[in-house]
Amino acid sequence: MELQFTGEVIEWRGPAPFFYAVVPPDAAELIHDLAPMLTYGWGVIPARVTIGSVTWTTSLFPKDGGYLVPLRAAERRRAGVELGDAPAITLELAGP
């Protein structure tokens, strides 16, 4: 399944800063409905992410009833994405 949306880039400060794109509520609801078939545990869902011409694999994190797309530093830099941006994102979801 493929989803396309824009997601605001936020920062979570733990021991090191992590950046995520927030999946909008309508897409998160669809992912939530499919989660039992897609998750490999703990609610984490494998996904292929594309921003512009940059594509990588990661896992969506469940958060407060929605989902976050992790944006690793290398891919974020290659895609030119900064904190507060709202890039166009394509997610390809598949089961474990």
Side-chain angles (χ1 to χ4, degrees), residues 38 51 64 89:
L38 301 174
I51 298 176
D64 299 331
I89 297 171

Side-chain angles (χ1 to χ4, degrees), residues 7-11 19-21 71 76 80-87:
E8 181 185 0
V9 176
I10 62 167
E11 181 180 19
F19 292 84
Y20 298 91
L71 303 175
R76 209 169 27 84
V81 174
E82 300 290 337
L83 180 64
D85 289 351

Side-chain angles (χ1 to χ4, degrees), residues 8-83:
E8 181 185 0
V9 176
I10 62 167
E11 181 180 19
W12 177 79
R13 287 202 160 275
F18 290 96
F19 292 84
Y20 298 91
V22 178
V23 176
D26 56 337
E29 185 176 324
L30 179 59
I31 294 168
H32 180 74
D33 290 345
L34 298 171
M37 295 175 284
L38 301 174
T39 187
Y40 57 82
W42 309 285
V44 176
I45 297 173
R48 180 183 306 269
V49 179
T50 301
I51 298 176
S53 63
V54 181
T55 300
W56 70 95
T57 57
T58 189
S59 296
L60 305 181
F61 291 178
K63 175 84 168 118
D64 299 331
Y67 291 92
L68 300 175
V69 179
L71 303 175
R72 293 187 294 235
E75 284 81 5
R76 209 169 27 84
R77 281 192 284 271
R78 287 179 35 224
V81 174
E82 300 290 337
L83 180 64

